[in-house]
């Protein structure tokens, strides 16, 4: 059974930083295409950052230079370091494993950035 558990969200002022974690079980983060997605209030879920099995990363234009995706294979965990946060970064952040079916999602962690 695959389980992804996100943590690290919270309330932060604009300009601040947070680090999100996604602990995986039942799947190896090193062997899967992993990603972070944001569902902002009233909007569809959108890609924020991805990391491939080779370690290549990709970012949404809105977060380039501010966010960094990484993984710790020993801990089977994927991280999203978020710096210089903006109010537009507010929403629920979801971790995803897999690029094509089957894919798996975590339950999400709320990030609120106040202006």
């Amino acid at each position: 059974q695959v389980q992804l558990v996100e943590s690290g969200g919270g309330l932060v002022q604009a300009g601040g930083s947070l680090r999100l974690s996604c602990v995986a079980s039942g799947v190896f983060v090193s062997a899967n295409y992993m990603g972070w997605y944001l569902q902002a209030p009233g909007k569809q879920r959108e890609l924020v950052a991805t990391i491939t099995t080779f370690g290549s990363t990709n970012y949404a234009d809105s977060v380039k230079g501010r966010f960094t995706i990484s993984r710790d294979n020993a801990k089977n965990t994927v991280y999203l370091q978020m710096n210089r946060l903006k109010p537009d970064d507010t929403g629920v952040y979801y971790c995803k494993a897999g690029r094509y079916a089957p894919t798996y999602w975590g339950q999400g962690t709320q990030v609120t950035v106040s202006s």
Side-chain angles (χ1 to χ4, degrees):
Q1 182 180 357
V2 177
Q3 192 172 19
L4 304 174
V5 180
E6 301 99 332
S7 63
L11 174 63
V12 64
Q13 286 189 331
S17 298
L18 285 173
R19 188 177 80 156
L20 306 184
S21 299
C22 170
V23 180
S25 58
V27 65
F28 292 108
V29 299
S30 61
N32 281 272
Y33 183 94
M34 302 295 298
W36 286 98
Y37 292 73
L38 164 64
Q39 187 156 19
K43 296 185 178 180
Q44 290 187 332
R45 199 172 297 186
E46 296 181 337
L47 183 148
V48 174
T50 59
I51 184 167
T52 72
T53 56
F54 298 105
S56 298
T57 57
N58 184 52
Y59 298 93
D61 287 343
S62 59
V63 306
K64 282 181 181 176
R66 299 189 298 123
F67 291 11
T68 303
I69 187 171
S70 62
R71 67 178 180 226
D72 184 328
N73 296 338
K75 295 182 178 180
N76 210 28
T77 300
V78 177
Y79 301 99
L80 185 68
Q81 178 67 44
M82 306 187 295
N83 298 327
R84 304 199 309 275
L85 283 159
K86 304 176 181 179
D88 284 348
D89 298 321
T90 293
V92 180
Y93 284 76
Y94 294 90
C95 178
K96 178 186 175 185
R99 187 171 191 175
Y100 306 108
T103 59
Y104 306 93
W105 294 88
Q107 84 289 347
T109 185
Q110 175 72 43
V111 171
T112 303
V113 184
S114 63
S115 57

